[in-house]
Amino acid sequence: MNDQFRQKYVIEDSNMFSIQYISRTGFCSMKRPHEHPFFELYYLLNGERVYFLNGKVFTVKKGDLMIIKPHDLHSTASSDKLRFERILLSFSPAFVERGNPHIGELLKGGCSRLIKIPLKDQTEIERLLHQMLEECETQADYYTSLVRSLMNELLIRMYRIEQSLQGQESHEYEHPMHQKVTDIAQYINSNYDQKITLEQVAKQFYISPSYLSRIFTRLTGFHFREYLQVVRIKEAQKLLVNSRNSVQLISEQAGFEHIAHFNKTFKKIVGTTPLHYRKRHA
C-alpha cells in the first residue's frame, strides 16, 4: 500500500485557501458527512470515488471535478475500485476576488455539482492544480499572488467548459443502488415534515429494512434516522432565520412531534439552542 498524504498547504487560513494532494489504496470513507463555509473543488486524478452531495449519489471518475458550495452537506466513500488519487482545493470568494472583483461573478448562481471534464481539457486543468501545489510547496517570492492568478484562470476555464457542456447529461449511476439511495434521500428531503420510518420507506422502495440501513450508511455516511434528523434541522434553521414563526410551530413544520425532542436534536446537531441560533442570525 503506497499511500501518499502530502502536506495540506494553507494561505492565510484554511477558510481562505488550502490545497492538498492524496493518493490512497484500500477502503476509506469520511467518518462524518460535513459542511463548511467555503467553496471546495475535488478533482480526481485517478481511480473512482462515491460522493454523496445534497441528497444525490455520484460516481466520481478520473477527470471528474466536484464543485461544493458553502454549507452543502457532503461525504465521500470508496467504490469497488479501492485506489484513488485526488487534489482537494478550498477557497473563499474573497481570496479570488482580491485584485479581480469581477471573478466573483463566476461563483454566483448554480448549485453544487459534478463536472465531467472532457479529455482534451484535463491536461490543462491538472497543470493548473499541480502548479498551485508547487507554488505552495516552494513558496517563492509573490507565490500567493501567483496562486490567486492560477485560481482565477482555473475558474474561468471551468466556466468555459461548463458552457460548452450545456445540454449534456452529466449525472450517471454506476450501480442500481446508487439510484435507489438517491431516490430515497430525495424522498426524505421532500417529505421530512411527515412521519417517516425505515420500515415504511424500505417497503415503499421494495428493499429489506436491514439492507437499506447498511447501504444507506455506506453510501451517505449517515444512518437512516440520523439523515432524517439532519434534513429536518436544516429546514428548521432556514425557518428560524426567514420566518417569525414560534419555535413550537417551526418544530412541527420541520417534522418533530415533540418540542423537547426538537430542542435536544437541534442543540446536538447545531451546537446551540433554536432561540440563540435565531438571535445570532437575525
Side-chain angles (χ1 to χ4, degrees):
M1 185 181 297
N2 297 316
D3 291 352
Q4 294 183 47
F5 293 84
R6 286 171 59 180
Q7 179 180 340
K8 181 179 181 179
Y9 298 106
V10 173
I11 295 178
E12 295 186 33
D13 63 64
S14 57
N15 286 342
M16 187 61 69
F17 177 89
S18 69
I19 187 169
Q20 185 183 36
Y21 166 91
I22 284 181
S23 174
R24 192 167 186 180
T25 303
F27 181 84
C28 66
S29 63
M30 287 183 177
K31 291 182 179 180
R32 302 286 306 135
H34 69 282
E35 58 180 84
H36 36 65
F38 45 80
F39 282 86
E40 191 169 84
L41 303 180
Y42 183 106
Y43 183 81
L44 201 62
L45 293 158
N46 279 298
E48 191 174 279
R49 294 290 283 169
V50 175
Y51 225 99
F52 181 69
L53 172 64
N54 285 343
K56 291 184 180 180
V57 178
F58 296 85
T59 302
V60 183
K61 297 185 174 184
K62 171 178 166 51
D64 287 352
L65 177 68
M66 295 295 302
I67 302 176
I68 299 97
K69 297 190 74 173
H71 303 296
D72 279 356
L73 199 65
H74 59 282
S75 65
T76 63
S78 296
S79 70
D80 294 335
K81 299 175 183 178
L82 298 181
R83 177 168 176 75
F84 72 97
E85 183 183 8
R86 59 87 163 151
I87 292 176
L88 183 66
L89 188 157
S90 64
F91 66 96
S92 74
F95 178 78
V96 294
E97 288 174 342
R98 201 171 297 170
N100 188 358
H102 300 297
I103 201 72
E105 294 296 321
L106 301 181
L107 302 173
K108 295 179 180 178
C111 57
S112 296
R113 57 202 180 274
L114 168 68
I115 304 178
K116 292 190 165 297
I117 305 295
L119 187 60
K120 64 182 179 63
D121 298 306
Q122 290 178 20
T123 300
E124 190 60 26
I125 296 296
E126 291 172 17
R127 179 191 69 80
L128 292 168
L129 292 169
H130 282 297
Q131 192 171 349
M132 278 187 266
L133 276 169
E134 183 179 348
E135 286 295 326
C136 289
E137 184 176 13
T138 58
Q139 296 190 12
D141 292 345
Y142 304 106
Y143 83 96
T144 58
S145 295
L146 184 51
V147 169
R148 185 175 291 109
S149 176
L150 293 166
M151 264 301 309
N152 287 342
E153 183 179 349
L154 176 64
L155 292 174
I156 291 169
R157 290 189 179 277
M158 286 166 48
Y159 172 80
R160 289 177 176 177
I161 288 169
E162 283 205 281
Q163 291 300 301
S164 71
L165 295 175
Q166 276 191 351
Q168 297 183 29
E169 179 60 50
S170 62
H171 192 194
E172 60 185 58
Y173 295 100
E174 292 293 312
H175 190 284
M177 286 311 302
H178 293 185
Q179 170 80 68
K180 183 152 286 193
V181 168
T182 294
D183 291 344
I184 290 169
Q186 295 296 322
Y187 174 82
I188 293 172
N189 291 348
S190 300
N191 298 278
Y192 59 84
D193 56 337
Q194 306 298 315
K195 185 174 182 179
I196 295 176
T197 66
L198 173 69
E199 291 72 21
Q200 166 236 322
V201 173
K203 182 178 180 181
Q204 185 170 334
F205 285 88
Y206 305 102
I207 181 174
S208 76
S210 59
Y211 184 59
L212 171 56
S213 178
R214 290 196 306 273
I215 197 68
F216 193 90
T217 302
R218 179 185 174 188
L219 293 180
T220 70
F222 284 107
H223 296 293
F224 179 89
R225 180 169 176 76
E226 185 182 21
Y227 181 70
L228 174 60
Q229 289 182 337
V230 167
V231 169
R232 286 172 168 169
I233 292 301
K234 286 180 77 68
E235 180 61 24
Q237 287 176 281
K238 294 177 188 175
L239 292 170
L240 285 165
V241 174
N242 299 317
S243 80
R244 302 184 69 179
N245 294 342
S246 67
V247 172
Q248 172 76 46
L249 179 57
I250 287 173
S251 73
E252 294 171 3
Q253 290 174 320
F256 287 88
E257 295 182 358
H258 306 289
I259 185 68
H261 182 218
F262 169 69
N263 287 330
K264 181 179 179 181
T265 305
F266 192 97
K267 189 169 185 179
K268 178 182 177 182
I269 292 174
V270 182
T272 187
T273 65
L275 281 176
H276 188 265
Y277 181 86
R278 169 174 267 173
K279 289 178 182 178
R280 193 170 67 195
H281 291 84

